[in-house]
Amino acid sequence: MPPHDTIRAVEWKDNHLILLDQRKLPHAEHYLQLYSAEDTAEAIRNMVVRGAPAIGIAAAYGLLMAARKAFKQYPHDWRARLQPDIEVLAAARPTAVNLHWALQRMLKALDEHDADPIHTLMAVAQQIHQADIEANHRMALLGSELIKPTHGVLTHCNTGSLATGGYGTALGVIRAAYGEGKIEQVYADETRPWWQGSRLTAWELMRDKIPTQLICEGAAAHLMKLGKISWVIVGADRVAANGDVANKIGTYSLAVLARFHGVRFMVVAPTSTIDLETVSGEQIPLEERSADEILNVNQQRIAAPQVGAWNPAFDVTPGKLVDILVTEKGIVLRPDTEKLSTLMQS
Ligand SMILES: CSC[C@H]1O[C@H](OP(=O)(O)O)[C@H](O)[C@@H]1O
C-alpha cells in the first residue's frame, strides 16, 4: 500500500486557516495563514486552494473566522453583520457546489443550535472536514472493488489530497487500487491551462511512488486506441439531479472517447458534490477564467501577440456517458434522476 498520505491542503490551527499554496507546487511547499472570510474567498478565487471538496472545507473555515470576529465586535447583531462575508465566500468560484453546500450546512446549524453559535460553527466546520476524509476512504474501497487487475488507467486534473480534505476522490480510488496490485500504470493528463495534472497529480503520485506517465490531453484517444487503459477515473465539481457531471474542462472529451473505445468511465464524488436542486447539466454555472491562463506560462506570454483566448474551466458530461458514479453512500450505474434521488434518500 502506498504510504498513508500526509498532504494537508487545508488545516485549521490556532483559530485560523492554513492553506498549502497550490500555485507554487510542485517546486515549493508554501503555506498561507488566513484570518478572514475575505482572505479565504480571495484564496479560493486565485486557486491557492482548489478542488470541489477542499473549496467547501476552506469556505466553512472562512465563515467560522468571520463569525468569531463579528460575534466579538457586534454581540447584538453579529449574524446580520455576517452577510457580506457569506456573499464574498459564495461568489468565490461558481461551479463547485461543495462551496455552497458547506456554507448552507454551517448556516443551517446556526438556525438549529444558536445557544453557543461559535462552538456550533467550529464543530460543523471540523465535521465537514473529517467527514470528507472518511468519505474519500470509503469511496476508495468501493471504487477499487470495481477495478479488475488492469494495465493502465487515465485520470484528469487533480482529485487527490490537494483537492479534498485528504486522500482524494478519483485519486483515492487509484491509490487503493494500486495498493491492491490492480493497476500497473497511471496516466495523468497534464490538464492545461492550470497544469493540475503535471504539477499536482504527478507530485502526489510521485510521493506515493505510484508509476505515472503524464500525457498531453490530445494523446488520450491514441492511448485508448492502443489499448493501454481500461478505465478513465475522474472527479466532479457538481453532479446535477439527472446525473450530468460538471468537471474540469476536457472531461467531456474523455467521456466521449472512452465510450467510443470501450473504455469504462468512472466518476468519483462524495454526496456533498451531488446537487439535486440543479435539474440538469444545462443549469450548472460553468466558470470562465482569465485568457491569460492560456496565453501565458509562468507569467511569460507564449502566445502570438494580439491573439485572444477562450478559457472555460469546466464542461458537462451527460450522465449517460458515465458508466459508474462512486459515492460514499454507494455506486450508481449510468446515473439518472431516479437513481440519484434514491441514493440521496438512502
Ligand atoms: C475532487 S474535486 C476536484 C475537481 O476540481 C478541479 O477543478 P479545479 O482544480 O479548477 O478546482 C477538477 O474539476 C477536479 O476534478
Side-chain angles (χ1 to χ4, degrees), residues 25-65:
L25 289 174
H27 304 304
E29 286 184 52
H30 178 69
Y31 291 85
L32 297 185
Q33 316 285 322
L34 296 97
Y35 299 89
S36 72
E38 178 63 47
D39 290 351
T40 305
E42 186 180 11
I44 293 170
R45 241 186 339 266
N46 296 339
M47 296 175 70
V48 167
V49 60
R50 31 65 50 200
I55 287 173
I57 295 164
Y61 287 129
L63 181 55
L64 170 60
M65 292 190 289

Side-chain angles (χ1 to χ4, degrees), residues 105-119:
R105 277 284 296 271
M106 296 279 278
L107 296 172
K108 183 170 180 286
L110 268 189
D111 292 340
E112 294 167 354
H113 310 282
D114 61 0
D116 183 351
I118 303 309
H119 178 265

Side-chain angles (χ1 to χ4, degrees), residues 291-292 294-296 301-310:
D292 286 347
I294 293 175
L295 299 170
N296 305 329
R301 187 170 178 105
I302 57 163
Q306 279 86 48
V307 72
W310 176 55

Side-chain angles (χ1 to χ4, degrees), residues 168-286:
T169 57
L171 216 53
V173 168
I174 290 171
R175 282 185 159 115
Y178 177 79
E180 292 162 26
K182 293 183 172 180
I183 295 175
E184 289 173 21
Q185 179 71 61
V186 177
Y187 295 91
D189 278 337
E190 60 183 358
T191 317
R192 275 187 54 78
W194 216 74
W195 313 95
Q196 286 93 332
S198 314
R199 297 190 304 107
L200 307 181
T201 294
W203 182 70
E204 289 203 44
L205 294 179
M206 289 303 100
R207 282 164 62 99
D208 286 355
K209 297 183 174 42
I210 295 178
T212 305
Q213 298 272 318
L214 284 171
I215 65 166
C216 300
E217 272 90 311
H222 188 49
L223 185 76
M224 295 182 199
K225 185 180 173 186
L226 294 181
K228 286 181 174 290
I229 59 166
S230 314
W231 287 90
V232 174
I233 307 177
V234 299
D237 290 81
R238 189 182 306 225
V239 181
N242 72 339
D244 292 347
V245 174
N247 198 50
K248 183 53 52 196
I249 191 77
T251 304
Y252 176 34
S253 313
L254 292 177
V256 171
L257 290 172
R259 186 55 57 86
F260 180 83
H261 289 89
V263 170
R264 303 195 74 189
F265 193 82
M266 179 191 290
V267 174
V268 187
T271 51
S272 54
T273 305
I274 297 176
D275 175 13
L276 297 185
E277 290 175 22
T278 297
V279 173
S280 79
E282 301 302 314
Q283 285 77 44
I284 300 176
L286 299 181

